[in-house]
Amino acid sequence: MKRFIAVQHSYSEFLGSIEKQLENRGIGFSYFRPFTGQSLPASALQFDALWLLGGAHAPADRAQVPWLDEELRLLRAFTAAHRPVIGLGFGALLLALAAGGEPQPDDGPYAYWTTAHATVAGAADPVAQAIDGRRVLVAASGRVTLPEGIAPLATDDDGRWILLRQGEACGLLFRPEMTPGMIEDTIMEEGRPLPEDIGEVLARARELWPEFRETTDRVIAALVAELDLM
């Protein structure tokens, strides 16, 4: 049986709707929570894939994410071992950072619905094609510019990257795992910085939930094809 590791950055953000997909395929997964002081594994060898989940703060905000270097070490251990890494939201920004991208510390938390647009670089990418032309929820805090040599596989309506790929690592700035309930949990999380329009984002998530679930299914199927996850 395959076993995945998922790194949580807050209690309100977890694998969400992806959990059931993994359970249905008999895949085990373990959560690690560095924000509680829990240490991350020293090696990638006992796991088959790494999921880096969403979070409340920007990667550039070192005071709020003091474990960042340890997490980047784990990320690099997985890439060196040629094992899949999937970053969601904050996790996608970490992938861009590890690849040499530059953080933009002035960008606060954001969440918005947009139409995904596969780029020329994403023409043959299963995940980019799975979301092309579909409405997706982008949510994170802060931004990281992609380094030279890494072209985005998909962008939002304003041309900003929402999907990247480097080797066996795939970064999704859009959030296929989120459910309306998870968005509610982020709103209720004590002291969490939130976008001003988070109520509208939640209302839209409830309205689009059937379509949202279908997009999640498409993304998981594409990740399986692209990274041999399952």
Side-chain angles (χ1 to χ4, degrees):
M1 181 180 79
K2 288 195 174 183
R3 187 179 176 210
F4 295 169
I5 175 177
V7 179
Q8 269 187 286
H9 307 106
S10 75
Y11 283 116
S12 61
E13 298 192 62
F14 54 102
L15 284 168
S17 57
I18 293 175
E19 278 192 355
K20 195 169 193 64
Q21 300 265 6
L22 301 181
E23 290 168 351
N24 288 343
R25 290 170 170 84
I27 295 172
F29 51 90
S30 300
Y31 284 110
F32 283 80
R33 302 177 176 94
F35 67 94
T36 68
Q38 182 181 17
S39 295
L40 295 174
S43 169
L45 298 182
Q46 67 267 45
F47 298 100
D48 296 292
L50 170 65
W51 294 77
L52 304 176
L53 306 182
H57 302 284
D61 192 353
R62 288 290 186 127
Q64 297 293 338
V65 289
W67 64 84
L68 190 67
D69 287 335
E70 185 183 7
E71 189 165 349
L72 288 171
R73 175 198 56 75
L74 181 64
L75 189 168
R76 293 185 174 109
F78 269 82
T79 55
H82 300 287
R83 304 202 174 188
V85 179
I86 304 94
L88 305 173
F90 178 87
L93 296 175
L94 288 192
L95 286 174
L97 190 65
E102 289 293 327
Q104 301 175 20
D106 293 335
D107 283 322
Y110 50 88
Y112 58 91
W113 288 92
T114 188
T115 301
H117 304 275
T119 63
V120 172
D125 182 83
V127 179
Q129 294 305 308
I131 62 172
D132 188 37
R134 300 181 71 86
R135 286 174 287 195
V136 294
L137 173 61
V138 176
S141 185
R143 295 196 183 262
V144 176
T145 58
L146 296 184
E148 186 176 350
I150 296 183
L153 302 182
T155 59
D156 66 10
D157 286 326
D158 294 322
R160 294 172 295 204
W161 75 266
I162 60 172
L163 176 65
L164 68 86
R165 172 80 187 270
Q166 186 180 37
E168 288 82 18
C170 192
L172 287 60
L173 204 52
F174 64 96
R175 308 296 297 278
E177 87 285 11
M178 292 201 85
T179 66
M182 284 179 64
I183 300 173
E184 291 172 357
D185 288 345
T186 65
I187 294 172
M188 296 297 292
E189 188 176 311
E190 185 177 359
R192 183 189 179 102
L194 293 167
E196 292 183 1
D197 60 347
I198 191 64
E200 297 173 20
V201 170
L202 173 58
R204 192 69 168 147
R206 290 170 175 156
E207 177 187 345
L208 295 176
W209 181 233
E211 177 185 337
F212 198 10
R213 290 179 61 187
E214 182 182 344
T215 300
T216 295
D217 291 343
R218 290 168 61 94
V219 169
I220 294 300
L223 285 170
V224 169
E226 189 167 8
L227 300 177
D228 191 26
L229 280 180
M230 304 172 190

